[in-house]
Amino acid sequence: MVKQEKEFVNRPDNTAFTQQRLPAWQPMLSAGIIIPGFVLIGLAFIGIGVALFVTSQSIQVLEVDYTGVEQSSPCFKCSDPDVKNCVCKMEFNIDSLFKGPVFFYYGLSNYFQNYRGYGVSKDPNQLSGDLDSFKVPSDSCAPYEYVGKTPIVPCGSVANSMFNDSFKLYQIVSGAKIQVTLDGKGIAWWTDYNVKYRNPSVTPLKNAFNGTVKPTFWSKPAYELDPTDPANNGFINQDFLVWMRRAALPNFRKLYRRITEGDYAKGLPAGNYSLEIAYNYPVLSFDGRKKVVLSNVSWMGGKNEFLGIAYLVIGSMCVVMSIVMLIVYAKFKFPEEE
Amino acid sequence: MSYHLYTVGKPTAERRYVEKYWKEVRVGDFIRLRCNEILPADVLLLSTSDPDRLCHIETATLDGETNLKQRQVVRSFFDLDCDFDPLKYNGIIECEKPNNDLNRFRGYIIHRSGRRDALYKENLLLRGCTIRNTEEAVGIVIYAGHETKAMLNNNGPRYKRSKLERQMNVDVFWCVIILLVMCLFAAVGHGLWMFQYGDKRPVFDVLSPEGTDLSPIMSAIYLFLTMIIVFQVLIPISLFVSIEIVKICQVYFIHQDMDLYDEETDSHLQCRALNITEDLGQMQYIFSDKTGTLTENKMVFRRCTVAGVEYSHDANARRLAMYQEMDSEEEECTSHGGTLPRRDSVTSHHSAPVVVLRSQSTKSHRRTGSRAEAKRASILSKHTAFSSPMEKDITPDPQLLDKVNECSGQMDFMRFHSQPMSQLPSDLSDIIDFFIALTICNTVVVSSPNQPRQKVRMRFELKSPVKTIEDFIKRFTPSRLTSGSNSSSSSSLVTNRSSNKGCSSMLSSPSAESTLTKLDEEHPRGGLDQAFSPAPPSYDGKLWNLEEGELRYEAESPDEAALVYAARAYKCSLVGRLPDQVTVELPHLGKLSFELLHTLGFDSTRKRMSVVVRHPLTDQITVYTKGADSVIMDLIKPPNTGNSKGKRQKKIVYRTQNYLNLYAADGLRTLCIAKKIMSKDEYACWLQRHLQAETAIQGREELLYESALRLETNLQLLGATGIEDRLQDGVPETIASLRKAGLQIWVLTGDKQETAVNIAYACKLLDPEEEILTLNADSQEGCALLLEESLHYIQTKFLCSATDQAAKAFHANFAPFEIYPSSSPPSSSHTIPLVVHRLGLVIDGRTLAYALDKSLEDKFLAVARSCRSVLCCRSTPLQKSMVVKLVRNKLKVMTLAIGDGANDVSMIQVADVGVGISGQEGMQAVMASDFALPRFQYLQKLLLVHGHWCYSRLANMILYFFYKNAMFVALVFWYQFYCGFSGSAMIDQWYLIFFNLMFSAFPQLITGTLDKDVSTETLQQLPQLYVSGQNSEEYKPYMFWMNMIDAFYQSLVCFFIPYFAYADSDVDLFTWGTPITSLALFTILLHLGIETKTWTWMNWLSIAFSVALFLTVALCYNASCPTCYSPSNPYWTMQRLLQDPLFYLLCVITPVAALLPRYFYRACQGTLFPSPVQVGRQLDKLPAETRRNILSLSRVKVGSPLSPEPPFLSLTKPSPKGCNKKDQRGFPGSETSQAKKGPVLPADEETGQRSPLEPSDSEMGPSDIYTLVPKEIDAPPYTKDAPPFLEERRPPSDKDSECLDKTLELSERSLSSWITSTPLLAQTDCVQLTLPPDGGSRCVKYTRNSEERLPLDHAVHPAHGTEQMAEQSLHITL
């Protein structure tokens, strides 16, 4: 026998794999499976859709456009790029309790933070506190790399174009303005604040910036961004971090503050409010819009009805399809029984 | 790197050979080789240790032939007594330039004396061959390195591009267009976007590094280039790599298939071309060789006729039948073992009864003998190709055996009494001459199995063949010639048992022993004693038998071996062959040595071979010629009718011709044997010119050819042999199955028309019910006329007569599969509407040559393509390739050529796919082929299963690839609308790179390799499924666009669902882009899931692996380096996303929304309008038992795409009630199609179960059909054919439907009785189109032995029955 086996040196292996006989599941797209499957998927989706929609409905959003395009707008006077240090006030009122925690966003429209040349224009080494990069910023920052021969820190277009409007929110209670405490901590990603961005380990921070200049559009150097909190300066300034995280789409909002402290932690009560805006950022040159958004959030983020509707639509489509198929199937399957 | 050291000699002062590397071998080096060494270059043989100045080589590496070949020392070095000394060599060799013709070498050697000696291919040892049986050989290197013939022949694998790839390349081109359009769009968009800002620079716009401002136009141009880089994924470069990987896997699986493995020869299928596997699934035409491809090329001697007397060898036939019976236990076919011969009384091969018998008889003995036996034989003699016992053990015809004995007895007596041999009665002398011719007129080498590589030496003297005139004069001096059987003649090789004369000593000990001792010195390995023990002068049968058993014959062609074995059965056995002599052992006479003066080898133009010998008994110079009957018969000396001898001769010729016709009609290969006695003057005269021819440099072939023609004239016919070339296993079934698969099968053979036609009937290529158009023309005009007539005939018969029932039947039966692609209406079909009629075309080589002329080829094609089978006989290799080329180029079809011999090489190379049978005719065909099969029947699985799979897998994978790339790239494209067309991407750069490379790469490879749309069994049992590949249904041009549209739709969904979900949020670029990447991946994988038909664990694993890989890579990447990967740096993005419920919600809804349309389409299509392949898949799901029932009924209406009723949905619940109801309602329809199928059924569909073409078949046929009808009634509903209105819609022409309406009006009763009253074979027509050679009378005659089928109108009245049959003959005079 052994000898005989040796005769067949070329005999292929008789295994399920080589003979292509592996056990296999053959899903058959037959009506019997598809129709119930579609119905099940459709129903599940409708369920999810309803839940999402309801959740989304419960979220309150308040948007205040302060670009000042219309002449009636209080900020119209500030929209002229020649006017410096302009402050304008927007008044609005809240009908019912705006449940907390309320998130305070600023929003920009028609602003292409995702523009390719713009996004590239930064030096990650510099931003992680590398002092060598302070002296010689990365070429990617050009043309916001040097002023003359002095390096710009933080260099690049993204940092240069940092949003520099600031807001103060007051509740007007019987004529009196009560300032709403805005919490500027923890608005950036934890990893950005702790890992990705670092100030150079030089104390005081100001010394690290010797021999450098601030970005051309900035009014204050990086180490003086937040005079109230020394830990919120340099590259780990929360507003800076938020700005540096580029928005995906041209209409975006960025978190400015949270209202989590003090009397307004539970929400903004109904009433009149006044928003005091230090209007610095020019957007009209590119037809941009600026707005302030107050919103509370749910487990699924901000207010967005789309996903709930999408689930509902897709779910209903599945059900409709299954019904269509059932009709067609029934018509053709049982022609004798008509 | 090979470190073989070779002894290369240079005439150095040290006078010794030094070892060198192969690469150092140079032209002009002297080289010494020892036994079993491989030749490093093409070497001219100058000296060997062999006393015959021979060198044996094995050429298996070159042509696969394992028999030893002899090579001779250059003639001028022949007589060197001492060892060859390179130092003394001073000739000049002139030879032709290096070329790749292995069988040709021309040149001459100019000696110092100025004498020129010609060099032949027999002098050349080719690189790669192995020296065998020769102690030492010395030669001079003629060609070295890449100039050697072996290397020049080694072209490497040809690059063929498959049809699918050609189609794909068009779409790749479209991809480029799409890419450019997208880039252009983006560039224009960017220009406009820039333009709208005018001079105001927005803060997010970045100036160039130099701080300058780019104009919108310039930035648009830059952006165009940027976009090409961003979108380049659209050009599926990875597709080409993936295709190669998948093809290699496919090749691996084809290699590994047990069903394609032949145990007998221990060989499996070889894929020699790695890149055209999918072409196997798209074949439309098969061109097959006959001999060795359809038949086994195992030649079995069946019968012979000697001197006009036929010896039928009944016992031999019975023996052959026995081999069959051993095998036939598992076969149901009724074996008519012993009764198969003697059917040859039927004269015409056109008439149906013969055909029936023929196919039956062939079937009953077409097996090779039992497999076990064959295996044993192959184990016993691994090296010899032709040694199956069936071929060797021929049972002699007792009558003939008696005559042989009587004859040799008389000769013995006469020799003893010194009487001249001419006194022998002529019939007896013819018999003995006949067998001597069989024995010596060949190139068979005798060897002994104990020492397989040793030639048996029965050597009596050393003498070279006649080489020069002087030699001739010296050897043929009158005194010696007249000495006759004089014992003193050294050349007389008479061995005589009772002879006291000197020659007896030659036979026995002394000389033989001296040779032996010499050999012993040469081969000190020993073990030669038994091999060379000289045959004692004994004449009793036992010892003779014993010795005979040990001899083995190695022949270059199996015919030769068969004849030698046949002669041996009559105790006339070849016992030794040397270049100059052949030793034959005859009963009573003992061993006779024939001095071999010349061998004029076989060639295909002469179609014969001759040997010139000196007969040892009569001492006459005798020419024995063996060849094709057509040529030999022309060379027979016109008998002088005056005397009785002449009359006898005439009678012999006449009778032999008769028997030859019978043999041919019986499918036997015929050979004629003739002889001629030359006077020495004639011989001298011929020899002189022959020697001139031999030494000529210019046009030597032609001169030799003419010389041979001069010799082979005025022959005397001895007899003829009939050799059977048995059909290979499963050939008829394979052909039937391939034909059902919509393949046109053409047989191109070099054989005679009669033989070819008979084999064609035997293998069911031609059908007894078919009309045969035979085209034999002798002139261009005649051929043109014939073609014209045939066309006209076909048109009148088939196209214009809508009521022609036969055509109708054919339409009805084949319409869904063969005529029009089932998925598309006939008008929109891109393939040529193959209106194939029940016609067979037989054309011979000469007519073919005319028909292939430029002016006629279109007509020829028009005729040939409307015939169901085409048979080209007597075609040369070139013609074969021309036919293939013609069909391939003109009809734009995929062609496959299959053959086994060197004559098929050109055809194999021309065809889209060349298949070689690794059979017995050497390896040339295999070397030229793309696929090498051990047997013809494996073609079925190779095409129907592997071809189908390879095609559908690759087609689906290519489409998927296009989809995948487009879908992924489109995501980035949509984003351009939201980033100012700036070329920005929300998908991280590394994901962009790895997406194709890693994340989505593996599942499609697994699916492309392993996916089976239909199982092996169903594919083989429903060959119709093959049509999907022929019509390229898996990958049609519109499918590319459908996939593109689907890709863009899906990418829109994958882009905009996240877009709206994250609209107006504070999402950052990569937190938004990463979910899109994930969604795209999931969608793409799920899409593949929809397209995957079979899910093995490997599919699951690959998909799971892809997802896991993506998540792992993303997590690792997003955690690895906070400052690297500028500009994206998605640090911690994935980690945050995984905590976001929105991400999961997106992951659920997006793939569902994206794939919903495709899934819905697939579901609807699969349920409501299943394609044949999908029906096949549904069949697979059924339990094996049910499936077998359905398949055996073969009523599967897989071909009707318009079927409102999915054929197998009702299948699972056959309720008796519904069944009855349906039967009643559906009966007329099913009856109709049943009726139409009727005539085709037995031939095409029932072959597996039973053979309806039994001898009594003309009566059985109708009843067979009748029995099928009730079966139809009883059948469960799923066997019901499509309802009538379906039938109405399918036929393309108005006439057809009109006719159908008529059919449908018939009541079921009238129909069924009509069927039963129609004789099955009645419609056999025979159209013989022959033009007289002179072409003068110009008369084309259609002989139509047809009993016309009933016109439909009459069919309503069943009572008329057969009375309506009318014999009709049609004469058309031009």
Side-chain angles (χ1 to χ4, degrees), chain B residues 1003-1044:
Chain B
Q1004 67 204 348
L1005 287 182
I1006 297 290
T1007 303
T1009 312
L1010 292 179
D1011 201 27
K1012 295 193 288 185
D1013 53 352
V1014 188
S1015 71
T1016 319
E1017 295 77 29
T1018 313
L1019 278 175
Q1020 281 185 309
Q1021 282 158 351
L1022 273 183
Q1024 291 90 332
L1025 300 181
Y1026 187 74
V1027 178
S1028 76
Q1030 286 175 324
N1031 296 333
S1032 302
E1033 274 166 29
E1034 303 280 344
Y1035 182 17
K1036 287 185 173 294
Y1038 79 88
M1039 289 180 178
F1040 168 76
W1041 294 106
M1042 292 303 290
N1043 262 278
M1044 281 294 163

Side-chain angles (χ1 to χ4, degrees), chain A residues 3-4 6-14 17-31 34 38 41 45 48 52 63 105 110-122 124-125 128 140 142-144 157 161 188-192 195-196 217 245-255 281-282 284-287 291 299-300 303-304 306-307 310-312 314 317-318 321-322 324-325 328-329 332-337, chain B residues 190 193-194 197 200 202-209 211 226 252-253 255-258 261 263 266-268 375 379 382 946 949 953 975 978-980 982-984 1009-1010 1012-1013 1056-1057 1059-1072 1092-1098 1100 1122-1123 1126-1127 1129 1131-1133 1136 1141-1142 1145-1146 1148-1149 1152-1153 1156 1159-1160 1162-1164 1166-1168 1177-1178 1180-1181 1204-1206 1209 1213 1221-1222 1225:
Chain A
K3 197 190 167 214
Q4 195 138 34
K6 273 182 189 167
E7 293 290 336
F8 305 115
V9 280
N10 291 326
R11 184 208 286 271
D13 298 334
N14 192 2
F17 176 70
T18 56
Q19 300 309 307
Q20 307 194 52
R21 281 189 272 99
L22 283 176
W25 173 60
Q26 284 181 274
M28 195 61 65
L29 296 175
S30 68
I34 287 166
F38 269 21
I41 291 173
F45 272 30
I48 296 172
L52 285 174
E63 288 188 7
Y105 298 91
N110 214 9
Y111 192 103
F112 290 83
Q113 255 204 323
N114 54 20
Y115 188 74
R116 204 172 77 91
Y118 177 86
V120 175
S121 186
K122 64 179 179 185
N125 288 326
S128 67
S140 60
Y144 303 102
S157 187
S161 64
W189 284 27
W190 187 90
T191 49
D192 284 357
V195 184
K196 200 166 158 184
F217 289 180
R245 190 156 278 277
R246 292 188 293 135
L249 297 166
N251 300 330
F252 59 89
R253 58 172 82 148
K254 282 182 184 288
L255 192 54
Y281 207 73
L284 285 179
S285 66
F286 52 91
D287 286 336
K291 65 185 175 187
W299 55 269
M300 52 165 286
K303 185 180 181 76
N304 193 320
F306 171 77
L307 209 55
Y311 265 95
L312 286 172
I314 301 292
M317 273 170 68
C318 285
M321 275 184 182
S322 62
V324 168
M325 283 194 69
V328 175
Y329 181 60
F332 284 112
K333 191 192 173 187
F334 316 108
E336 258 86 2
E337 291 169 18
Chain B
H190 185 66
W193 185 82
M194 293 288 282
Y197 292 114
K200 297 176 282 180
V203 281
F204 45 81
D205 186 17
V206 181
L207 300 168
S208 65
T226 312
Y252 169 79
F253 280 123
H255 267 249
Q256 289 292 316
D257 194 334
M258 284 291 282
Y261 168 77
E263 227 168 55
D266 187 31
S267 56
H268 54 79
K375 201 161 64 185
I379 290 166
K382 201 103 175 101
H946 288 292
W949 281 347
R953 285 167 180 174
Y975 188 57
Y978 298 97
C979 67
S982 62
S984 182
T1009 312
L1010 292 179
K1012 295 193 288 185
D1013 53 352
F1056 279 104
I1057 288 186
Y1059 172 81
F1060 285 115
Y1062 281 108
D1064 271 338
S1065 71
D1066 58 345
V1067 70
D1068 74 284
L1069 188 57
F1070 294 106
T1071 315
W1072 182 68
T1092 303
K1093 281 107 187 176
T1094 48
W1095 290 76
T1096 63
W1097 59 267
M1098 296 185 74
W1100 293 110
T1123 55
S1126 177
N1129 192 5
Y1131 189 71
W1132 222 249
T1133 307
R1136 275 180 78 103
L1142 204 58
L1145 286 171
L1146 285 172
V1148 171
I1149 190 167
V1152 171
L1156 205 58
Y1159 194 74
F1160 184 70
R1162 288 268 176 233
C1164 285
T1167 316
L1168 304 172
R1177 205 179 312 147
Q1178 287 171 347
D1180 281 341
K1181 292 283 276 186
E1205 177 188 4
L1209 285 175
K1213 18 187 141 157
K1221 197 169 140 197
K1222 277 182 197 168
R1225 291 178 55 178

Side-chain angles (χ1 to χ4, degrees), chain B residues 1233-1267:
Chain B
S1233 63
Q1234 177 57 36
K1236 289 172 191 165
K1237 277 178 186 171
V1240 194
L1241 250 173
D1244 285 339
E1245 299 182 8
E1246 302 287 307
T1247 44
Q1249 284 77 44
R1250 64 213 157 82
S1251 169
L1253 301 174
E1254 281 157 17
S1256 59
D1257 206 54
S1258 38
E1259 293 83 38
M1260 287 226 356
S1263 61
D1264 269 1
I1265 291 174
Y1266 189 59
T1267 55

Side-chain angles (χ1 to χ4, degrees), chain B residues 795-814:
Chain B
Q795 278 165 0
T796 49
K797 182 163 168 62
F798 292 102
L799 297 182
C800 304
S801 60
T803 47
D804 188 294
Q805 198 59 36
K808 198 93 278 252
F810 190 79
H811 271 263
N813 195 36
F814 284 87

Side-chain angles (χ1 to χ4, degrees), chain B residues 405-441:
Chain B
N405 275 329
E406 181 193 341
C407 173
S408 51
Q410 277 197 28
M411 282 172 82
D412 189 28
F413 176 82
M414 283 156 75
R415 185 174 58 183
F416 189 69
H417 295 282
S418 299
Q419 286 171 351
M421 289 294 172
S422 56
Q423 285 178 8
L424 203 66
S426 59
D427 59 330
L428 288 186
S429 78
D430 276 354
I431 286 174
I432 208 77
D433 269 334
F434 179 76
F435 283 108
I436 287 171
L438 288 192
T439 315
I440 66 174
C441 185

Side-chain angles (χ1 to χ4, degrees), chain B residues 655-669:
Chain B
R655 284 188 174 173
T656 309
Q657 184 63 58
N658 265 351
Y659 288 121
L660 280 171
N661 293 344
L662 293 182
Y663 290 175
D666 219 12
L668 300 181
R669 294 164 73 94

Side-chain angles (χ1 to χ4, degrees), chain B residues 305-310 633 648-663 717 720:
Chain B
T305 167
V306 185
V309 183
E310 216 268 342
M633 283 303 187
R648 182 177 168 271
Q649 273 296 315
K650 196 179 173 185
K651 212 167 103 185
I652 289 175
V653 170
Y654 176 74
R655 284 188 174 173
T656 309
Q657 184 63 58
N658 265 351
Y659 288 121
L660 280 171
N661 293 344
L662 293 182
Y663 290 175
L717 185 68

Side-chain angles (χ1 to χ4, degrees), chain B residues 76 351 373 402 558 808 859 968 1007 1331 1371:
Chain B
S76 45
S351 61
E373 187 190 5
D402 288 349
K808 198 93 278 252
K859 272 181 198 162
F968 192 60
T1007 303
L1331 272 188
H1371 293 269

